[in-house]
Amino acid sequence: MTNEFVKLDIEGPIALITIDRPKALNALNQQVLTELDAAISQIVAHPDARALIITGGGEKAFVAGADIAEMSGYSTTQALAFATRGHAVLARLEALPIPTIAAVNGFALGGGLELALACDLLYVSEKAKLGLPEVSLAVIPGFGGTQRLTRLLGRSRAKELIFTGDPIDAAKAKEIGLALEVLAPEALLPRCKEIALKIASRGPVAVAQAKRAIEAGADLPLKDANELERQAFALLFGTDDQKEGMRAFLEKRKAAFKNA
Ligand code: DAK
């Protein structure tokens, strides 16, 4: 699929989405959200995709936020509709059964950081700058930033970033647990692909169940979350891949998983 601003490439088991709107540093306008939603639908329908990487086109930005020019004249009704749309698209991204990786190659501000936060894993280039600067525009994050950042980093860190609006650099992002690794710009995508390929080599149903247990469990009391894990663990013993994975170990060979 090639759209105007959102490119989807599927190479083997890896899907790669590139947000590519260089004249606005890849800012998320309505069209970008629509194209992103369509790309997510294509990934859902693709039988071979085992991991998704999202990155920004060009050298400078991952995504520099929601589109300020488009938002500036919104009424409260339009703002509600825009936030509803953004939340819906990011919720679909978050609900993908395959792991998702944000390859943050530059500015990830506002809606851009919110997009990265809806991914499972976040890697940054040395050039990355991450932040939620919305209060400097006299609004607040509108695509889940107040919630996902807080759940990831805790209230205190999230409040510091959101109240000041100041972006942080790559090293700080790693120090506070927002980014997993800091990479040279040219090493970022290769490293993300390496991680994606490793994930793709594991039992796909098991990876999907692990993601579900972690994500759904995070919203539950521990007792209920553990029950969710117990059920998922048992369910996997009904799959061909579990038989293959354990047989392959015992036969000292590489497993050939079928996603079944
Ligand atoms: N939107 C639209 N255009 C943008 C943009 C953005 N977020 N960010 C950059 N651009 C455009 C610039 O206007 C400029 O366009 P031209 O002037 O060339 O036409 C072009 O990209 C290059 O940007 P700069 O010339 O500014 O480049 P610099 O290197 O000097 O600066 C920068 C890079 C990233 C520091 C700067 O562009 C910047 O500060 N950008 C804005 C970053 C920002 O504030 N992002 C957060 C946006 S607010 C809600 C829903 C959603 C949200 C909130 C509420 N509800 C409905 C309730 C989310 C809000 C946000 O994401």
Side-chain angles (χ1 to χ4, degrees), residues 209 226-239 242-243:
Q209 286 297 325
N226 275 335
E227 178 56 20
L228 189 84
E229 184 196 77
R230 196 173 72 92
Q231 297 293 338
F233 178 77
L235 180 149
L236 288 164
F237 281 75
T239 64
Q242 175 269 328
K243 305 280 175 278

PDB file of all heavy atoms in Angstrom, residues 209 226-239 242-243:
ATOM      1  N   GLN A 209      -0.292 -14.125  23.012  1.00  0.00           N
ATOM      2  CA  GLN A 209      -0.897 -14.355  24.330  1.00  0.00           C
ATOM      3  C   GLN A 209      -0.112 -13.637  25.435  1.00  0.00           C
ATOM      4  O   GLN A 209      -0.691 -13.152  26.398  1.00  0.00           O
ATOM      5  CB  GLN A 209      -0.983 -15.854  24.623  1.00  0.00           C
ATOM      6  CG  GLN A 209      -2.069 -16.575  23.837  1.00  0.00           C
ATOM      7  CD  GLN A 209      -3.474 -16.071  24.179  1.00  0.00           C
ATOM      8  OE1 GLN A 209      -3.770 -15.720  25.313  1.00  0.00           O
ATOM      9  NE2 GLN A 209      -4.329 -16.014  23.166  1.00  0.00           N
ATOM     10  N   ASN A 226      -3.490 -12.723  37.248  1.00  0.00           N
ATOM     11  CA  ASN A 226      -2.849 -14.043  37.307  1.00  0.00           C
ATOM     12  C   ASN A 226      -3.754 -15.130  36.740  1.00  0.00           C
ATOM     13  O   ASN A 226      -3.287 -16.073  36.099  1.00  0.00           O
ATOM     14  CB  ASN A 226      -2.449 -14.380  38.745  1.00  0.00           C
ATOM     15  CG  ASN A 226      -1.091 -13.783  39.096  1.00  0.00           C
ATOM     16  OD1 ASN A 226      -0.267 -13.539  38.210  1.00  0.00           O
ATOM     17  ND2 ASN A 226      -0.859 -13.534  40.368  1.00  0.00           N
ATOM     18  N   GLU A 227      -5.052 -14.955  36.954  1.00  0.00           N
ATOM     19  CA  GLU A 227      -6.006 -15.922  36.391  1.00  0.00           C
ATOM     20  C   GLU A 227      -5.962 -15.870  34.856  1.00  0.00           C
ATOM     21  O   GLU A 227      -5.992 -16.897  34.173  1.00  0.00           O
ATOM     22  CB  GLU A 227      -7.420 -15.619  36.920  1.00  0.00           C
ATOM     23  CG  GLU A 227      -8.523 -16.503  36.381  1.00  0.00           C
ATOM     24  CD  GLU A 227      -8.275 -18.007  36.622  1.00  0.00           C
ATOM     25  OE1 GLU A 227      -7.488 -18.366  37.497  1.00  0.00           O
ATOM     26  OE2 GLU A 227      -8.877 -18.819  35.884  1.00  0.00           O
ATOM     27  N   LEU A 228      -5.864 -14.638  34.339  1.00  0.00           N
ATOM     28  CA  LEU A 228      -5.756 -14.462  32.890  1.00  0.00           C
ATOM     29  C   LEU A 228      -4.514 -15.190  32.356  1.00  0.00           C
ATOM     30  O   LEU A 228      -4.568 -15.883  31.339  1.00  0.00           O
ATOM     31  CB  LEU A 228      -5.636 -12.958  32.610  1.00  0.00           C
ATOM     32  CG  LEU A 228      -5.728 -12.482  31.194  1.00  0.00           C
ATOM     33  CD1 LEU A 228      -7.194 -12.317  30.804  1.00  0.00           C
ATOM     34  CD2 LEU A 228      -5.045 -11.115  31.056  1.00  0.00           C
ATOM     35  N   GLU A 229      -3.420 -15.033  33.063  1.00  0.00           N
ATOM     36  CA  GLU A 229      -2.188 -15.713  32.640  1.00  0.00           C
ATOM     37  C   GLU A 229      -2.353 -17.233  32.698  1.00  0.00           C
ATOM     38  O   GLU A 229      -1.953 -17.962  31.771  1.00  0.00           O
ATOM     39  CB  GLU A 229      -1.012 -15.299  33.540  1.00  0.00           C
ATOM     40  CG  GLU A 229       0.299 -15.912  33.080  1.00  0.00           C
ATOM     41  CD  GLU A 229       1.388 -15.865  34.132  1.00  0.00           C
ATOM     42  OE1 GLU A 229       1.354 -16.691  35.077  1.00  0.00           O
ATOM     43  OE2 GLU A 229       2.276 -15.019  34.006  1.00  0.00           O
ATOM     44  N   ARG A 230      -2.977 -17.709  33.769  1.00  0.00           N
ATOM     45  CA  ARG A 230      -3.151 -19.161  33.942  1.00  0.00           C
ATOM     46  C   ARG A 230      -3.933 -19.742  32.755  1.00  0.00           C
ATOM     47  O   ARG A 230      -3.566 -20.760  32.191  1.00  0.00           O
ATOM     48  CB  ARG A 230      -3.908 -19.402  35.261  1.00  0.00           C
ATOM     49  CG  ARG A 230      -3.848 -20.812  35.796  1.00  0.00           C
ATOM     50  CD  ARG A 230      -4.472 -20.883  37.182  1.00  0.00           C
ATOM     51  NE  ARG A 230      -5.922 -20.740  37.136  1.00  0.00           N
ATOM     52  CZ  ARG A 230      -6.783 -21.752  37.050  1.00  0.00           C
ATOM     53  NH1 ARG A 230      -6.332 -22.982  37.001  1.00  0.00           N
ATOM     54  NH2 ARG A 230      -8.089 -21.527  37.017  1.00  0.00           N
ATOM     55  N   GLN A 231      -5.004 -19.035  32.381  1.00  0.00           N
ATOM     56  CA  GLN A 231      -5.840 -19.519  31.271  1.00  0.00           C
ATOM     57  C   GLN A 231      -5.064 -19.489  29.950  1.00  0.00           C
ATOM     58  O   GLN A 231      -5.137 -20.418  29.150  1.00  0.00           O
ATOM     59  CB  GLN A 231      -7.093 -18.637  31.117  1.00  0.00           C
ATOM     60  CG  GLN A 231      -8.034 -18.664  32.317  1.00  0.00           C
ATOM     61  CD  GLN A 231      -8.705 -20.017  32.508  1.00  0.00           C
ATOM     62  OE1 GLN A 231      -8.798 -20.806  31.578  1.00  0.00           O
ATOM     63  NE2 GLN A 231      -9.149 -20.292  33.729  1.00  0.00           N
ATOM     64  N   ALA A 232      -4.317 -18.405  29.744  1.00  0.00           N
ATOM     65  CA  ALA A 232      -3.560 -18.272  28.490  1.00  0.00           C
ATOM     66  C   ALA A 232      -2.486 -19.350  28.395  1.00  0.00           C
ATOM     67  O   ALA A 232      -2.263 -19.938  27.332  1.00  0.00           O
ATOM     68  CB  ALA A 232      -2.936 -16.881  28.402  1.00  0.00           C
ATOM     69  N   PHE A 233      -1.833 -19.605  29.523  1.00  0.00           N
ATOM     70  CA  PHE A 233      -0.788 -20.646  29.574  1.00  0.00           C
ATOM     71  C   PHE A 233      -1.384 -21.990  29.160  1.00  0.00           C
ATOM     72  O   PHE A 233      -0.836 -22.686  28.295  1.00  0.00           O
ATOM     73  CB  PHE A 233      -0.223 -20.699  30.997  1.00  0.00           C
ATOM     74  CG  PHE A 233       0.819 -21.757  31.212  1.00  0.00           C
ATOM     75  CD1 PHE A 233       2.118 -21.578  30.762  1.00  0.00           C
ATOM     76  CD2 PHE A 233       0.502 -22.943  31.870  1.00  0.00           C
ATOM     77  CE1 PHE A 233       3.088 -22.550  30.957  1.00  0.00           C
ATOM     78  CE2 PHE A 233       1.468 -23.925  32.077  1.00  0.00           C
ATOM     79  CZ  PHE A 233       2.759 -23.724  31.623  1.00  0.00           C
ATOM     80  N   ALA A 234      -2.531 -22.325  29.747  1.00  0.00           N
ATOM     81  CA  ALA A 234      -3.158 -23.619  29.452  1.00  0.00           C
ATOM     82  C   ALA A 234      -3.592 -23.695  27.995  1.00  0.00           C
ATOM     83  O   ALA A 234      -3.374 -24.699  27.304  1.00  0.00           O
ATOM     84  CB  ALA A 234      -4.353 -23.836  30.381  1.00  0.00           C
ATOM     85  N   LEU A 235      -4.162 -22.606  27.506  1.00  0.00           N
ATOM     86  CA  LEU A 235      -4.666 -22.570  26.128  1.00  0.00           C
ATOM     87  C   LEU A 235      -3.560 -22.894  25.110  1.00  0.00           C
ATOM     88  O   LEU A 235      -3.788 -23.568  24.113  1.00  0.00           O
ATOM     89  CB  LEU A 235      -5.232 -21.169  25.900  1.00  0.00           C
ATOM     90  CG  LEU A 235      -5.857 -20.730  24.600  1.00  0.00           C
ATOM     91  CD1 LEU A 235      -6.933 -19.690  24.919  1.00  0.00           C
ATOM     92  CD2 LEU A 235      -4.855 -20.110  23.643  1.00  0.00           C
ATOM     93  N   LEU A 236      -2.346 -22.432  25.407  1.00  0.00           N
ATOM     94  CA  LEU A 236      -1.240 -22.642  24.468  1.00  0.00           C
ATOM     95  C   LEU A 236      -0.891 -24.123  24.312  1.00  0.00           C
ATOM     96  O   LEU A 236      -0.338 -24.526  23.278  1.00  0.00           O
ATOM     97  CB  LEU A 236      -0.022 -21.826  24.908  1.00  0.00           C
ATOM     98  CG  LEU A 236      -0.214 -20.319  24.685  1.00  0.00           C
ATOM     99  CD1 LEU A 236       0.802 -19.517  25.475  1.00  0.00           C
ATOM    100  CD2 LEU A 236      -0.129 -19.976  23.208  1.00  0.00           C
ATOM    101  N   PHE A 237      -1.245 -24.928  25.314  1.00  0.00           N
ATOM    102  CA  PHE A 237      -0.962 -26.368  25.206  1.00  0.00           C
ATOM    103  C   PHE A 237      -1.919 -27.066  24.239  1.00  0.00           C
ATOM    104  O   PHE A 237      -1.742 -28.241  23.933  1.00  0.00           O
ATOM    105  CB  PHE A 237      -0.967 -27.018  26.600  1.00  0.00           C
ATOM    106  CG  PHE A 237       0.328 -26.761  27.332  1.00  0.00           C
ATOM    107  CD1 PHE A 237       0.594 -25.506  27.881  1.00  0.00           C
ATOM    108  CD2 PHE A 237       1.301 -27.740  27.412  1.00  0.00           C
ATOM    109  CE1 PHE A 237       1.789 -25.240  28.515  1.00  0.00           C
ATOM    110  CE2 PHE A 237       2.517 -27.481  28.051  1.00  0.00           C
ATOM    111  CZ  PHE A 237       2.765 -26.226  28.604  1.00  0.00           C
ATOM    112  N   GLY A 238      -2.877 -26.302  23.718  1.00  0.00           N
ATOM    113  CA  GLY A 238      -3.758 -26.838  22.687  1.00  0.00           C
ATOM    114  C   GLY A 238      -3.291 -26.460  21.284  1.00  0.00           C
ATOM    115  O   GLY A 238      -3.995 -26.706  20.312  1.00  0.00           O
ATOM    116  N   THR A 239      -2.118 -25.842  21.173  1.00  0.00           N
ATOM    117  CA  THR A 239      -1.658 -25.405  19.843  1.00  0.00           C
ATOM    118  C   THR A 239      -0.623 -26.374  19.266  1.00  0.00           C
ATOM    119  O   THR A 239       0.127 -27.025  20.015  1.00  0.00           O
ATOM    120  CB  THR A 239      -1.012 -23.995  19.906  1.00  0.00           C
ATOM    121  OG1 THR A 239       0.167 -24.056  20.719  1.00  0.00           O
ATOM    122  CG2 THR A 239      -1.969 -22.963  20.473  1.00  0.00           C
ATOM    123  N   GLN A 242       3.013 -25.304  20.244  1.00  0.00           N
ATOM    124  CA  GLN A 242       3.568 -25.755  21.544  1.00  0.00           C
ATOM    125  C   GLN A 242       4.182 -27.134  21.400  1.00  0.00           C
ATOM    126  O   GLN A 242       5.284 -27.406  21.885  1.00  0.00           O
ATOM    127  CB  GLN A 242       2.465 -25.745  22.618  1.00  0.00           C
ATOM    128  CG  GLN A 242       2.895 -26.311  23.964  1.00  0.00           C
ATOM    129  CD  GLN A 242       2.625 -27.813  24.094  1.00  0.00           C
ATOM    130  OE1 GLN A 242       1.655 -28.312  23.525  1.00  0.00           O
ATOM    131  NE2 GLN A 242       3.482 -28.528  24.800  1.00  0.00           N
ATOM    132  N   LYS A 243       3.477 -28.003  20.687  1.00  0.00           N
ATOM    133  CA  LYS A 243       4.012 -29.366  20.483  1.00  0.00           C
ATOM    134  C   LYS A 243       5.342 -29.269  19.720  1.00  0.00           C
ATOM    135  O   LYS A 243       6.332 -29.885  20.094  1.00  0.00           O
ATOM    136  CB  LYS A 243       3.027 -30.229  19.669  1.00  0.00           C
ATOM    137  CG  LYS A 243       1.626 -30.314  20.256  1.00  0.00           C
ATOM    138  CD  LYS A 243       1.543 -31.319  21.399  1.00  0.00           C
ATOM    139  CE  LYS A 243       0.182 -31.322  22.085  1.00  0.00           C
ATOM    140  NZ  LYS A 243      -0.014 -30.264  23.091  1.00  0.00           N
TER     141      LYS A 243
END
